[in-house]
Structure formats: structure tokens, C-alpha cells
Amino acid sequence: MKRILVVGQTPPPHGGQALMIERLLAGSFKNAELHHVRMSFAKDMNDMGRLRLGKLVHAAAVVLGAAYQRVRHNTDVLYYAPSGPDYLPMLRDMVVLSSIRWMFKSSIFHFHAAGTSEIYARLPRYLRLLYRWSYFKPDIAIQLSEFNPDDASVLEARTKFVIPNGIEDVYGAMGCPAKVRSDRCGILWVGLISESKGFLVLVEAMKLLEATGVAAHVTVVGSFVSDEFKLRAKALISSSGLDDVFEFTGVLTGQAKHEQFLKADIFCFPTFFESESFGLVVLEAMQFCLPVVATNWRGVQSLVKDEVTGYMVAPKDSQRLADKLGILVRDRDLRIAMGERGRQRFLQDYLVETFYERMDECFATA
């Protein structure tokens, strides 16, 4: 059995990568014994990618913790989830990886954030050597979808796995209660509220829908990426006459979040986020029998079957987004049918037990 040291963030914040590392640590594996050094560089979602002195101190603590765990438990495999193509998180990774990777016989990189390798060509020459030392030639690279950038090949991974995420069937554990229906169709958004997550595109789409006489309500669960973007987004909502259309709940977890999925009729995920690799919230929507309208962007394309479990639209295309949302708002029977097919797809391919089985097979090769 391999002894593997997982160096990675767990909640908070409640982003997809942190949640999946938490799930990984909760798993039971035949081929691996997991140990953990927690990274906690971000206190919440809008703290991610920001430089603070405390983060530099924490980086040193992570390096020392990894060295201690390496000796104490004789962990000889390093598991690490690199950041996406963003300079500050990349520099953090290089500090940590260049300090600890040499201690381990082999390494596993799990690309929860896609596009890590895309930043390499843009680096100044003096950073490329450190980048290669930190990132290149992992023994195993795990990607979440075949539609994501091929970070594994660019970084010359010896072995590549494509392993989609999986989550618990919360809806099934609740007994699959009947959906809470209302006269006004409910559209749900869950995640970081930012431009690259497609929030302004959704606002524009709702403006177009309202102009055609189609009425719907949008519930937004999550925090704004910044105060500046919050002002910008709310100004657009007000100028579009949509103040009574959008409702903001803030960050919700556990039962409070599940209740929003139960009340919703449609899930919308118009992302074009630079590091997007999968869309864990899409799985949550599928398990709750929600049809999904999403962008054909990276790993999201693995999840939504166009015209079967929802609709796929091009990134930043507010007119197309409005058209597809409008179809579902008008047709209750279609919403229900697509949602049920989405749930069957979730049960077939994306349960957490399936994720654990695939990860165990991967660990066996380390």
C-alpha cells in the first residue's frame, strides 16, 4: 500500500478544488494510505489570488509540515493540485513544489484547475527554469475531462488519467423529495459571482427574456469576486430594470444550499472562467433533477448533453443563452424530462463511490 501525502486546500473556502480534496481525504482506498498537510492560503473565495504577508508565512509552514509528514509516516508519494494559469498562485506553487518535491520518490498532479501549462510560454526566461523544476515530469497527471487543456502532455507526465469528479447523492439520501414548484419559474446560479463565470452574460440574457414577456426569477448563491464587481453588476441589474428578478443569498452550504436546488427549476452555468475544468455545481444540479443551461467551455462539455439533459451555448453569447433559458421557462414538461435524464446520468457516472474506485486504480500505479 502506498503512503501518499496530500498537500492541498480544504474548505473554507468552498470552491470545487477544496471540496474535492476534502472528499478524497474522506475516502477509503485499498491501494493507498492518505496523509494530509492543509493549505489555507485563501480565507474566502474573493481572497484567492491576492498577495498577503500571511500567505508567505503559511507557505513556509506548509513546507515544514510536508517535511515532517514525510519523515513521520514515511510517505513516498506526493499528491498536489496545481493552480490554474494565474501568476500569484503559480508563484506560490513554485515556492512549495521546489521546496518539497525532491523529498518524494514520485508525484501525482491532479489538475482541478485547468490550463496550468498555458502560462509557461508567457513566463520570463529566468522563471522558466524554476517552473520546469517545480511542475515538469510528474509520475502521474490526473485531468478531469478530455475537453480540458492537455496539461499532462505539456508537462511531460509519465502517466495520464482522465478521472471526472464525483459527489455524494444528497438528493437520494433525502428520499428524493418532490420539487417545490411555484408559478414563477426559478433559475439558479451557484458559485463565485464574477465576469468570467458569466454573470454579466446572464444579466444581459435576463434582460432579453424580460423584453419578450418571459418572466422568471434568478436566485444567486455565492459571493462577489470583489466589491468593485458587485457595484458594477448591481448597476447593470438596476439599469436593466431587473431588481425584482435577481435575489442574492450570499454563500450557502449544507442544507441551506440544498434547499435552493430543491426550489429551482433550471440551473444556469454560463462560465468562461480561465481555470474552469469541470463545474462541480453542475453535478449538484443534475442530482437534484435540474436541467442545465451551460457554456460549451472545457470540462463542462463532459457533463451536459445538449438537448438531452439541458442546453449548451457558446461563451459570452447572451442572446443564445436567453433563447435556451426561454425554451425551458415556457415548457415545464421539458424541464422535468431533461432534469430526470440528468439525474440518471449523474447516478451512472458521477457518484462519489465511482470517483473513489477510479482514484484507487490510479493510486495502484503510483
Side-chain angles (χ1 to χ4, degrees):
M1 179 179 289
K2 283 78 175 179
R3 293 186 178 92
I4 300 175
L5 181 62
V6 177
V7 178
Q9 177 102 22
T10 54
H14 290 80
Q17 176 172 299
L19 288 168
M20 285 311 302
I21 291 176
E22 183 177 57
R23 282 189 177 91
L24 180 70
L25 292 166
S28 178
F29 303 98
K30 297 177 181 178
N31 297 302
E33 174 186 300
L34 304 185
H35 301 271
H36 183 218
V37 171
R38 182 172 186 259
M39 298 170 68
S40 56
F41 287 98
K43 296 179 180 179
D44 50 45
M45 293 301 290
N46 57 15
D47 186 40
M48 296 178 68
R50 298 186 179 185
L51 181 62
R52 291 188 290 107
L53 178 60
K55 293 185 177 183
L56 298 176
V57 175
H58 182 62
V62 169
V63 170
L64 291 173
Y68 173 73
Q69 293 284 358
R70 172 71 176 94
V71 174
R72 180 185 179 189
H73 296 291
N74 193 27
T75 51
D76 51 10
V77 180
L78 172 67
Y79 169 101
Y80 196 88
S83 68
D86 191 356
Y87 276 100
L88 284 177
M90 178 211 67
L91 291 172
R92 173 207 68 201
D93 281 354
M94 291 199 299
V95 168
V96 173
L97 287 171
S98 63
S99 301
I100 68 173
R101 194 175 164 193
W102 61 272
M103 303 178 191
F104 297 85
K105 295 179 181 179
S106 60
S107 55
I108 301 172
F109 285 175
H110 201 155
F111 294 102
H112 286 286
T116 301
S117 60
E118 295 177 335
I119 204 171
Y120 177 66
R122 305 197 301 266
L123 291 177
R125 289 185 178 180
Y126 68 89
L127 277 180
R128 289 187 187 180
L129 182 60
L130 182 58
Y131 184 98
R132 293 187 67 88
W133 171 259
S134 303
Y135 285 104
F136 269 65
K137 297 188 184 300
D139 295 273
I140 294 174
I142 305 170
Q143 297 189 183
L144 277 57
S145 167
E146 66 275 14
F147 292 103
N148 286 334
D150 195 0
D151 294 310
S153 296
V154 175
L155 299 182
E156 301 175 12
R158 294 181 174 86
T159 306
K160 171 184 170 182
F161 287 84
V162 176
I163 301 178
N165 287 333
I167 61 175
E168 301 80 5
D169 183 15
V170 175
Y171 184 55
M174 295 168 67
C176 299
K179 302 285 289 182
V180 181
R181 305 294 181 184
S182 64
D183 294 335
R184 194 177 188 188
C185 183
I187 299 170
L188 180 63
W189 163 293
V190 179
L192 182 66
I193 309 169
S194 69
E195 183 167 4
S196 62
K197 285 287 188 176
F199 186 73
L200 299 184
V201 180
L202 175 58
V203 176
E204 292 287 354
M206 295 308 299
K207 180 180 177 180
L208 293 169
L209 270 183
E210 287 282 311
T212 63
V214 177
H217 180 265
V218 181
T219 301
V220 182
V221 178
S223 62
F224 283 91
V225 68
S226 67
D227 291 337
E228 179 184 2
F229 184 75
K230 179 178 180 179
L231 292 173
R232 181 182 169 195
K234 291 203 169 184
L236 179 61
I237 289 171
S238 294
S239 66
S240 302
L242 300 174
D243 287 315
D244 63 337
V245 171
F246 282 83
E247 174 188 356
F248 296 88
T249 69
V251 176
L252 298 178
T253 60
Q255 184 60 30
K257 184 172 74 168
H258 299 153
E259 288 173 0
Q260 296 300 329
F261 282 105
L262 282 173
K263 291 192 297 183
D265 298 290
I266 303 166
F267 188 78
C268 188
F269 193 64
T271 183
F272 50 95
F273 180 49
E274 301 84 353
S275 299
E276 198 75 70
S277 62
F278 194 72
L280 206 60
V281 289
V282 174
L283 285 192
E284 294 181 286
M286 289 167 62
Q287 72 160 296
F288 278 92
C289 296
L290 293 182
V292 178
V293 181
T295 44
N296 50 3
W297 179 250
R298 296 190 171 176
V300 182
Q301 299 171 85
S302 300
L303 304 177
V304 183
K305 293 299 181 183
D306 193 33
E307 300 186 353
V308 178
T309 66
Y311 292 110
M312 302 295 287
V313 302
K316 305 181 185 181
D317 190 341
S318 57
Q319 182 63 65
R320 190 74 170 165
L321 183 64
D323 292 343
K324 297 306 182 183
L325 287 172
I327 292 171
L328 290 172
V329 171
R330 295 184 186 96
D331 194 333
R332 180 177 180 272
D333 291 339
L334 180 62
R335 295 198 304 266
I336 293 172
M338 282 187 165
E340 289 176 349
R341 290 194 291 265
R343 174 161 173 79
Q344 291 307 309
R345 180 167 168 75
F346 163 74
L347 292 173
Q348 179 179 339
D349 294 325
Y350 301 113
L351 287 171
V352 70
E353 292 83 4
T354 304
F355 169 73
Y356 287 149
E357 290 172 5
R358 291 166 173 164
M359 288 298 298
D360 207 13
E361 292 172 3
C362 170
F363 290 149
T365 69

